[in-house]
Amino acid sequence: MEPIINVHSLSKSFGEVQAVRGVTFSVSRGELFGFLGPNGAGKTTTINMLTGLARPDRGSISIAGIDCPRNPKAAQHLMGIVPDESNLYPELTGFQNLSFCGALYGMKKTERVERARELLERFGLTEAADRKFAGYSKGMKRKLTIAAGIIHSPEILFLDEPTSGIDVASARQLRRLIAELNQAGTTIFLTTHYIEEAERLCSRIAFIVSGGIRTIDTVEHLMSGYEDRQIMHFEVSSVDDTLCAELGTEFPRFDCRTDSRNRICIESSETIAVGQIVRFFEDRGIDIYEARKIRPSLEDVFVQVTGIEAGAMHEVQEKSRQR
Amino acid sequence: MKQWIAFWNILTKDMRSYYLKPPNISWGLVFPLAWTAAFFVRSGSGLESVSSILPGVMGVSVLFGTTSMLAVTVTFEKKGRSFERLLLAPISLELLMLAKTAGAILFGTANAFVPVLIASFITDLGGVRWGSLVPVVTLIAVSSTFLGLFIAVSVSEVFEAQTFSNFFRFPMIFLCGLFVPVAALPIWLRPLSYALPLTYGADILHRSISGSGTMPTALNFAALSAFCVLLFAVSLRNIRRYWIL
């Protein structure tokens, strides 16, 4: 497939902080590409550089053959951008917001009125079309913001954390809409900190940590090295700092980590004999409340590749959002 | 053509959302009229002095009509991140900022003629030179709007925009020869007067209404135009520097 986004050695610093360091990747036409990383990893800075809202210090960006840093306005014709915050105009109605966004891309009145109505219906917002955006629920705001991003039928859609902070039902509906858009031929560049969302939607994923890309591959390839991994989760009565080290000494072939309070995760390339683990805990007076065998997921790949606990990533992201 | 569709829609949205709203009337119209009424009552002069006060009222009306909303709305949109939407649209930054400022320019120009309309009922405006009055009001509106833009780009909070606007606006009422001639100011204050765009606009207003200007009209127009270009260029440079990181 022909690449529509080509990024080479992209770097960006803010004062002393290097937000993005030497990032290189390409996205094929029609692909749904996931950009996954914790808060502060450089996802939004990369999107800002790709869309012309930030200037790279070094490196090149080509969008459909257009040198984006040199000619951002030409590239912006091809892009739809949905930022991580629903930043439409609170004083305008849903319909007026869509129509205004269409006008920003030079759409004629009849064209944008028709398209706005079509999108309102598609996103289930027809009844709220004449209500002011300020009165919308979070999920409705997110849907309208995505609709505004595609009002001009862009070739490439940049989605920054599209389902963040909304309820489960709205998030599911949005994921379905994103998948439909991609099936209709729109190239989608998706940044998210929800690993399962990326796993479900994306064909290829890049893991970005501390401004650098750790790995880029298809979900299948990323998972292939993990299919033989055995993973067991134990919920126990107590966990102290030395427990993992002791487990490691007793069972050198097991990788052990605690990924939340009183939960121990054991991974191994060999079969995990549950009995010996149970005895290990019993010898130390630790009760086991639950033991589960887990199918390896992209989250496990992420943890392995980045060294960051996925749970910690969610926590950091949520705290930052609350702030 | 596509860029002009965007231009027109940004302008009409801003007019509807901001400029034609009641709170703006308090800053743009009521405040300058109240200010002038205070001058009028304090001076104790009769209706014959209306033509000498009119340039000052017009100047203050334009100044407050333009800067009162622009600095606040741009800061408000920047803080709510809806301004990002405009920066990401395929419209040149120059045209985008002209669209954002055009509403304030139109509103400020219209504001200036409200006192003229009122004055037309109480005094004879037969001697007014409309050929220079209309262009100078427009140029004062442009320069004051670009001053508002300069302020908006220099601050990040809405309250800072209001405070910073007043930092410029209130001294300009006294320093620019609107009500007190520049020649009557202490000599050490005069350089400051000539560093402000409204001084040149006020001089043309006085000449157009009462024939009492002190500087050549061509020089005044040139200075006012230069201020417009300078303020717009500095604002654009600051947007590119601080908002497109």
Side-chain angles (χ1 to χ4, degrees), chain A residues 107-295:
Chain A
M107 290 170 77
K108 288 182 182 155
K109 194 172 180 181
T110 47
E111 197 186 347
R112 58 180 196 261
V113 163
E114 196 181 322
R115 177 80 171 141
R117 288 203 180 117
E118 178 201 321
L119 287 173
L120 284 164
E121 194 177 331
R122 186 167 172 192
F123 283 77
L125 294 169
T126 306
E127 282 181 19
D130 297 323
R131 271 165 48 195
K132 288 195 172 166
F133 183 69
Y136 276 29
S137 70
K138 236 176 184 180
M140 288 161 79
K141 280 184 176 170
R142 215 64 200 118
K143 281 189 222 167
L144 195 76
T145 308
I146 295 178
I150 58 168
I151 184 88
H152 57 295
S153 310
E155 284 185 42
I156 310 163
L157 180 62
F158 289 93
L159 287 169
D160 197 358
E161 306 283 0
T163 60
S164 210
I166 60 172
D167 63 79
V168 177
S170 299
R172 277 174 70 96
Q173 199 187 2
L174 276 181
R175 280 187 205 114
R176 202 172 52 241
L177 287 163
I178 292 166
E180 281 170 15
L181 279 173
N182 181 241
Q183 277 156 18
T186 309
T187 306
I188 296 178
F189 186 96
L190 170 82
T191 74
T192 182
H193 67 277
Y194 294 129
I195 296 173
E196 63 278 17
E197 179 169 280
E199 186 177 358
R200 220 174 286 173
L201 287 171
C202 302
S203 42
R204 269 194 322 140
I205 288 173
F207 289 152
I208 181 168
V209 179
S210 306
I213 288 184
R214 293 284 174 90
T215 188
I216 306 178
D217 216 328
T218 59
V219 176
E220 293 74 28
H221 272 131
L222 286 168
M223 295 293 297
S224 63
Y226 281 78
E227 274 157 5
D228 299 334
R229 295 284 286 181
Q230 304 287 314
I231 303 172
M232 291 280 313
H233 281 184
F234 293 90
E235 279 195 32
V236 294
S237 55
S238 64
V239 172
D240 62 38
D241 296 342
T242 58
L243 197 64
C244 266
E246 282 182 46
L247 258 166
T249 312
E250 188 102 4
F251 308 104
R253 291 186 179 176
F254 292 173
D255 295 327
C256 169
R257 62 177 193 271
T258 53
D259 62 358
S260 73
R261 253 183 262 164
N262 294 349
R263 197 163 78 153
I264 295 169
C265 175
I266 296 172
E267 278 189 47
S268 175
S269 51
E270 294 174 5
T271 305
I272 300 170
V274 181
Q276 51 187 340
I277 305 288
V278 170
R279 277 195 294 279
F280 173 87
F281 286 131
E282 275 175 356
D283 290 348
R284 283 156 186 78
I286 296 169
D287 294 328
I288 301 172
Y289 299 139
E290 190 179 303
R292 274 187 298 152
K293 189 173 182 185
I294 305 290
R295 188 183 71 85

Side-chain angles (χ1 to χ4, degrees), chain A residues 88-89 92 95-107 112 144-145 147-149 151-152, chain B residues 85 89:
Chain A
L88 289 166
Y89 297 88
L92 299 186
F95 176 80
Q96 286 169 338
N97 261 303
L98 291 187
S99 178
F100 178 71
C101 290
L104 291 180
Y105 287 83
M107 290 170 77
R112 58 180 196 261
L144 195 76
T145 308
I151 184 88
H152 57 295
Chain B
R85 204 160 270 287

Side-chain angles (χ1 to χ4, degrees), chain A residues 71-82:
Chain A
N71 197 0
K73 293 294 159 191
Q76 281 165 352
H77 270 291
L78 309 171
M79 301 174 190
I81 300 143
V82 179

Side-chain angles (χ1 to χ4, degrees), chain A residues 87 89 91 100, chain B residues 10 13-14 17-18 71-86 100 158:
Chain A
N87 66 343
Y89 297 88
E91 73 278 10
F100 178 71
Chain B
I10 294 168
K13 185 199 82 68
D14 281 358
S17 295
Y18 306 126
V72 173
T73 54
V74 170
T75 315
F76 177 73
E77 286 189 5
K78 179 73 176 57
K79 202 166 164 56
R81 292 185 61 186
S82 51
F83 201 85
E84 267 179 28
R85 204 160 270 287
L86 304 177
K100 285 304 284 179
V158 174

